[in-house]
Structure formats: C-alpha cells, structure tokens
Amino acid sequence: MANLSIHSKKHKVCVVGSGNWGTTIAKVVAENVAEHPDIFEQDIQMWVYEEEYTIPSSSKHHDPGSALSTKPQKLTQLINGLHENVKYLPDIALPKNIIANPDVASTVEGATILIFNLPHQFIGRICDNLVGKVLPYARGISCIKGVSVSDQGCELFSESIGKKLNIYCGALSGANIANEVALEKWSETTVAYEPPAMDSKQPTPEGSPHGSTANLTSLNNEKSSPKAKLAALPAEYPPLNHKNIRSLFHRPYFHVRMTTDVAGVSLGGALKNIVALAAGFVDGLGWGDNAKSAVMRIGILEEVKFGLQFFGHSCRGETFTEESCGVADIITSCSGGRNFRCAKMAVKEGKAIGEIEERELNGQKLQGTSTAYEVNAFLKVKGVEGEFPLFTAVYNILEGNNRPEDIPRLVEGHSRADLD
Amino acid sequence: MANLSIHSKKHKVCVVGSGNWGTTIAKVVAENVAEHPDIFEQDIQMWVYEEEYTIPSSSKHHDPGSALSTKPQKLTQLINGLHENVKYLPDIALPKNIIANPDVASTVEGATILIFNLPHQFIGRICDNLVGKVLPYARGISCIKGVSVSDQGCELFSESIGKKLNIYCGALSGANIANEVALEKWSETTVAYEPPAMDSKQPTPEGSPHGSTANLTSLNNEKSSPKAKLAALPAEYPPLNHKNIRSLFHRPYFHVRMTTDVAGVSLGGALKNIVALAAGFVDGLGWGDNAKSAVMRIGILEEVKFGLQFFGHSCRGETFTEESCGVADIITSCSGGRNFRCAKMAVKEGKAIGEIEERELNGQKLQGTSTAYEVNAFLKVKGVEGEFPLFTAVYNILEGNNRPEDIPRLVEGHSRADLD
C-alpha cells in the first residue's frame, strides 16, 4: 500500500474496558494499528479495573518456586508482564503494544479514538470520570451490547456516552462470541459510524459518505437536546472515514461491514436476547427446527419494527435483516447462547427461568429477562404491546400469564399482516 | 364467519403428488376445505403413483391373521381404506376427505386449484399427461422446492408447469420439514400467488392486490414467450384472492404469509442448499457459531443478489431476508438438514462429500451439490462468478480447487462492498 500520508499526526487509540470482550477487541485493534502505522500510533492503552489476582495453579504461568506466582498481584502488572489477561482472557497471547492502565483518565489522554467495551452498569461512573479529560475532537465507538430501555424511554449507550463527553460515538456489534474471536476463529461484525457534518463552513471533515446532521437524537430527547456543537477533527489527522475506521477493526478472521445506522446496530444486540428466550421456549417444547426458525424470523421483523417505529429517523430495517449485528447475531444467540439455553431448560424441566438462572449462571443474570421486562414497560407506555406479539409473549410467559405453547396463537395475527 | 356467498360454485382442490411432503400438504388442505365449505368442495383428490405395498410387520395396521395384511396391496387402496399413507407418511391419520387416485387425469378433472407436490424429475411427464385435461381457468400452486438451473438458463418449476398447462401457477415454500408439519408442530410457510390481470375488459377478477401483467417470464424466455392469454375465473366462483388462497393453506400449526414473489419463493428453496453445504463446511472445521452465522448471512445476501439480478422484474429482496421461504428456511437447513450434515461430516472426517453421501443417504443424492454445480455453470456463462463468492467457493470446494479453510478469504471482498 502506498504510504503517501500528508498528515503530520496519527490517531491514538485506546480501549476503555478489559473484560473478556474488551480484551479481545484490544487485541484486534492492536494488531491492526501495527499494520497501518501511517494512520495509527502503535501503543494501545487499555483501561483495567485494578484488582489483585492470584495466578491459579492450573495456569501455565504458575511457578510454584516463585513467591510472585503464588501471591496476589496487580492485574495490570500481570497483563503487562505476561502479555496475557490471565483473569478475563486466559491462554490468549496479546500483542505487546497493548498497555494495561489502571487509570482511566491517563488511558484516554491524547486519544482521538476511544473504544468503550465494559459492562453497561459502569458506563455512567466511568464517563463521569472522563468529563473534561478527552480531546474535544475525539470519536468514540461503543462495543457495549444493548440499550437502556425503561418506561421512561429508550436510549442507546453510544448516545449516553456521546452526550456526556460531548463527542460523537458510533457502535460495534455482531455475532461475536468473544472467545471465538480471541481464538481467531472467523466471524463478522458491524460497525456503525457517521459523525455529523461539523458546520457548514467545514464540509464533512471526516469524509463521511453521508455527512448529514447528527443522528444522535433518541426518542425522548428530541425536545431536550439542542445539540452541543461537536469539534471537527483537525486537518493534521488522517480522516476518520469508513475506510480508516474499518482498517482499525477488520482482520482476516474478523470481517467488518460498515454502516451509518448506530441505532440499528445497538438495538440488535439488545433485542436479540428476547428472541433467544422465545427460541429456547419453543425448542424446550420439542417443536423442532421449523418452529425455532419461525420464532427467529418473527423476532427479526419485530426488531425491524421497533427500530423503525422508535428510531425511524436514523434506523434502517436492513441493519436487522442483512447485517451481522442483526440476523447473524440472532442465529448465534438462538443456537447456544445462555438466554436460549436457560429458557429451553426451564421449559423442559417445568421450572421457572429464575430457578434455572440461579442454578446455571453462578450469580449472573440473564440479559434477556431484564430486556424483556424493560421493553414491555416501554411498549405499554407507548400503547403498542399488541404490535409486538413475540416480545409481548415472552414477557407474558415470564410473568406466568401465558405458556410457551401459546406462542403460535399469540403471533398468528402477525402472519395476517399482509392481508390487513 | 358470516356465510353470505353469492357464488353458485365452489373451488375443487386436488393434490398432484403423495410423497412425504405431498401427503402432508393434502392433509393441511383437506382440513381447511372442511373449515371453509362456503369456498371449497369437500373432497380432495390426491394423485398417487400406484404401486404394490406390503404393510410391514412393525405397523399398527399389520394383522398376522389376515392375508390382506401380509400380501402386497395397491397403495391407493391402502390409503383410502386406512386413511393413512402407510408407505410415505406412516402413523399420521389423514382426514377422510382425502381420496387417493391412481389416475392423474381424473385427479385434476373439474379442479380449479391444482397443488403440485412431487419430485421435480416427474413434473415434465406428469404435465404432458395433463395437457388438455385441466380447466382452462384452473390455478396452480407448486410446492416443489427448487428451480431448474443450467448453463442454458434458470427456470422456475411453477413456470414450467404454468407454460405447459397454460395456467397461472404460484408457489409455496418455507422452513417446512414435512414430518414436523404432519405432526402439527408449529411452522410457517410462504405462498406466492399473483395471477395477471386477464384482460383490460375484465379487471383483475381474482381481486389480486397487484393485478399487473404476468410475472411469469423468466430470464431466458423473455424473447420466446409472448404469453398465451390465460382464462379468467368465471364469476360463479369465489375469487381466488390472497385471502381465499391463504385460507386453503393456513392452519393454527401452519402459518401462511402471502406474497406476490413467485421467483423469490422458488429460488429460496433451491439456493439454500448451497448455503447449507457452506455452513456444514465451516462447522466441520470446528469454527463455532460465529462462523456459521456469518456463512448464513452471506448466503442470504447472495440469494437476494441472485434473485434481483436474474429475476429482477418480479423478485423482491425481502422475500429472502424476511420470509419463511428465505431466512427461516436457511436457518432450518443449516441446523440439521442433510446437506449441512453431510458437508460437516466430510470436513470432520477428511473425506469427499460424495463418499459421505453414498454412506449416509442410502442411494439418494444431495440436492446441494447438484444445485451448486448448476448455479456455477449458469454464473460462468453470465460471467459473474466473482459476484457470488460464497456460491462459487462451495463449487470450488466440491471440485477440490479450494479448501473449506479458504472461505473467509474468498468472501472477504464481500464485506468491503460498502466501501466500493
């Protein structure tokens, strides 16, 4: 590739988060900055929630002769010394240009690209700590699956981040089981990125193919957010267009498709968990592959409807029906995901799903049940429960108002939609 | 339902074919005509290829004391006596209004609705026997999966039937494993039906919502078929609109969505078999659910592209991405279908797929391999192999030119489509 860069600066990339998925994404981007030294600086700062960790005796890094190996150590020091996240992504060698950093403010210092990849319950606090610490022209990518839905409204995590830090924030989501990606087994993902044009005198400095006005506005802040003006990326940097953003994430084993639909990408990752519960219910009844694929198909169409109805100005139906973050993530989640598995077990064993959750998940909670409740509360407020028969059926099954056997009858009206 | 029919005649329905799937569809429509006596006559003639059959000793119908039960009998007599297709759909009770008929001409006599459900290699001969025997205003529905593809062109079976009999022929296809439907396990299907307006003086007698000109023309007969005029349905019959066609197929356990896209419905059932081979290849490599769903997603998009490119005037992309005959049939076929299973075994065991086919299928042939070869020959003639990297990869893997491990690299360009 000819390297005729006219740009005096390069992009500094950091990753905020270092769990299983966060560390995997750090590995991906660390490999890519090494392949594109004309665009990106080489070090990837990765924020790690600092904790003490003792290497288990089963680890290849365990050395019974060494006191260091048998005593608790700082996780950042272990990661930087061993080039492995021994706690959250064991046995995966990390590129040496990943630098674990326990301080979130210094992690983002000078970074033009901030990748957020941490459990959603930490976003608020972390962003509070970052206010005033990020470059005004930084851009974010949220890898956090899901959206914050309540009867109050429906907000994308990329929006929450973007608003709090006053930066543009896109999203990454797909059929990506973290361990498979870490092992470099092939998968695809979807990256949504479309910063607004900065102002009329600076036409689309990012070179975005769709330099329209911001698509950040969600359903509920239509009134509340006369948008604070975002800072344009200085001309010394290579543009952050789709080509360059893609080169940060695309690997031979991790294929990236770019889109402009942040809402669709974010919603797919949340709503699929409701669909996975439904698929688990009918599979638990022993109804076979026809019924399971019917539930998945209906689920995809309810995702489309949800997106268009509540994020219509920025959402595209094709994001759900054609992209990895939509149809492919539905397929993967309904194959062996934990929501699917627990729902199936619950029906097979005739137990409440909460009981299965407690027994199987070691204190963790199913994403699908809370999303089903949140989405239902939202649909009730909007008065459109009946327009989402599958999402509503899952809620009512969880509540004990319906049985899994009722699903065909409950969604039957859906198949008549073409005649109405 | 108020029964205020102003029509002096009712529709007579027959089923041409009585295999596993043919008998299942006969059961479905026999149940439905009983529920809609205002629209349909009650008897369903079902054509059976006559053969002698001996009830196996394992059958509940076997009576060692009876000579009848231990000697070969005519299959039609067994079906009509036992109300069960003991050979092709054993242990499923059939409605008594199904009448097995060994004579195809008398099966279709007086029928206004002909349902074709037989192996595709018999279509030509059967239709030859039917020329001049069907009502001129009869309508067909083809349940035959697949299309006839060769380097000569690409023809839908519904087209072959329609042209030969000079009737309109729609199509039914979906994620429908016959035995599951026969057991009344829930599934969905897609029925494509849109007869052309008959002529300008008889505006859309069928009440079709899209009474446009015929969409029968396929790629290759654009020149050769100045369409013979189809006969209009006499006004004494209830209209054959979407509502009434749907009522013939829709059951509480078999949900029907209507569409006008005959090409899309037919293509989905053929092309999915190529995708199922690809899914089996990557699953055989142990690449996990991410990779499998990626293959399926790309497969759906290549189906869309194939349909739009070669049947663009009548084909809709949504048929593949949103309907049972598209995405859901892909999912079911890539879960446990025989193409998927054999491809997976071939890779796991390091054997040629032909060897697995021979061992596993008891003399039967995989649909996917022949479709992959036919489609490839067609794409080569058109000079567009490179635009269908997954279909082409499957062909080249079957030919030994590529290995399953090459799939990510071969389809990688596809993920850049958004940048080109």
Side-chain angles (χ1 to χ4, degrees), chain A residues 66-290:
Chain A
S66 152
L68 283 175
S69 174
T70 50
K71 280 197 291 192
Q73 310 238 5
K74 287 208 161 77
L75 185 55
T76 50
Q77 286 173 3
L78 286 169
I79 294 172
N80 290 332
L82 300 170
H83 303 295
E84 180 181 317
N85 187 337
V86 282
K87 179 158 187 190
Y88 294 108
L89 195 63
D91 299 323
I92 301 293
L94 298 178
K96 295 200 169 52
N97 54 336
I98 293 180
I99 295 149
N101 186 336
D103 178 59
V104 71
S106 83
T107 297
V108 305
E109 196 183 327
T112 49
I113 302 175
L114 282 63
I115 299 167
F116 293 89
N117 199 332
L118 69 173
H120 62 81
Q121 59 270 28
F122 301 134
I123 298 172
R125 192 171 56 79
I126 290 296
C127 284
D128 286 343
N129 290 339
L130 290 180
V131 170
K133 309 275 169 53
V134 302
L135 290 177
Y137 48 81
R139 300 288 177 254
I141 297 281
S142 162
C143 304
I144 302 153
K145 289 233 174 183
V147 293
S148 163
V149 192
S150 69
D151 53 0
Q152 301 304 307
C154 189
E155 188 171 60
L156 313 177
F157 292 132
S158 51
E159 287 179 320
S160 326
I161 294 167
K163 278 198 290 187
K164 196 164 262 179
L165 303 181
N166 196 32
I167 62 173
Y168 172 81
C169 189
L172 179 153
S173 184
N176 302 138
I177 298 165
N179 285 324
E180 293 184 8
V181 178
L183 288 166
E184 304 188 4
K185 292 181 176 180
W186 176 47
S187 70
E188 296 186 313
T189 201
T190 317
V191 175
Y193 184 82
E194 184 187 51
M198 291 308 133
D199 66 39
S200 55
K201 289 191 216 93
Q202 286 177 288
T204 324
E206 264 72 5
S208 155
H210 305 266
S212 64
T213 52
N215 279 335
L216 292 169
T217 318
S218 81
L219 180 66
N220 331 295
N221 44 28
E222 277 159 8
K223 40 204 173 303
S224 65
S225 74
K227 212 140 345 308
K229 196 173 275 174
L230 298 180
L233 186 72
E236 299 88 67
Y237 288 96
L240 285 180
N241 52 19
H242 275 189
K243 182 161 172 287
N244 286 344
I245 290 285
R246 181 175 181 273
S247 70
L248 183 59
F249 294 104
H250 185 85
R251 299 292 301 151
Y253 61 83
F254 191 61
H255 289 189
V256 171
R257 297 241 302 181
M258 297 297 300
T259 168
T260 59
D261 180 5
V262 178
V265 170
S266 303
L267 285 170
L271 299 175
K272 59 132 194 222
N273 290 321
I274 308 179
V275 183
L277 290 177
F281 291 147
V282 303
D283 213 42
L285 291 170
W287 282 4
D289 288 333
N290 291 349

Side-chain angles (χ1 to χ4, degrees), chain B residues 287-325:
Chain B
W287 282 4
D289 288 333
N290 291 349
K292 196 173 148 186
S293 69
V295 158
M296 292 159 75
R297 189 195 72 76
I298 294 170
I300 292 168
L301 292 201
E302 290 198 11
E303 289 187 355
V304 170
K305 189 176 171 66
F306 192 96
L308 297 182
Q309 195 151 330
F310 303 119
F311 291 84
H313 52 295
S314 65
C315 197
R316 297 172 65 243
E318 293 83 350
T319 304
F320 304 100
T321 60
E322 297 185 0
E323 301 303 334
S324 179
C325 61

Side-chain angles (χ1 to χ4, degrees), chain A residues 120 143-149 157 173-177 264-282 295-296 298-300 302-303 306 320 324-344 353 357 361 365-376 390-395 397-398 407:
Chain A
H120 62 81
C143 304
I144 302 153
K145 289 233 174 183
V147 293
S148 163
V149 192
F157 292 132
S173 184
N176 302 138
I177 298 165
V265 170
S266 303
L267 285 170
L271 299 175
K272 59 132 194 222
N273 290 321
I274 308 179
V275 183
L277 290 177
F281 291 147
V282 303
V295 158
M296 291 157 74
I298 295 170
I300 292 168
E302 290 198 10
E303 290 186 355
F306 192 95
F320 304 101
S324 179
C325 61
V327 54
D329 203 9
I330 286 262
I331 293 170
T332 295
S333 303
C334 294
S335 297
R338 52 163 64 172
N339 290 288
F340 171 76
R341 282 187 292 111
C342 287
K344 181 172 175 172
I353 197 160
E357 190 177 34
L361 296 187
K365 291 288 173 192
L366 285 177
Q367 199 67 48
T369 50
S370 56
T371 306
Y373 276 92
E374 289 161 14
V375 165
N376 183 263
L390 187 70
F391 292 171
T392 303
V394 170
Y395 166 80
I397 290 166
L398 293 172
I407 288 179

Side-chain angles (χ1 to χ4, degrees), chain B residues 10 60 65 68 74 96 184 220 229 285 326 382:
Chain B
K10 296 174 188 177
K60 67 170 189 263
L68 284 176
K74 287 208 164 75
K96 296 201 168 52
E184 304 188 4
N220 332 296
K229 195 172 275 175
L285 291 171
K382 295 281 158 192

Side-chain angles (χ1 to χ4, degrees), chain B residues 219-281:
Chain B
L219 180 65
N220 332 296
N221 45 28
E222 276 160 9
K223 41 204 174 303
S224 66
S225 75
K227 210 133 352 307
K229 195 172 275 175
L230 298 179
L233 185 74
E236 298 89 67
Y237 287 96
L240 285 180
N241 53 19
H242 274 190
K243 182 162 173 283
N244 286 344
I245 291 285
R246 181 175 183 273
S247 70
L248 183 59
F249 294 103
H250 185 86
R251 299 292 302 151
Y253 60 85
F254 190 60
H255 289 189
V256 171
R257 297 239 304 180
M258 298 297 299
T259 168
T260 59
D261 180 6
V262 178
V265 169
S266 304
L267 286 171
L271 299 175
K272 59 129 195 228
N273 290 321
I274 308 180
V275 183
L277 289 178
F281 290 147

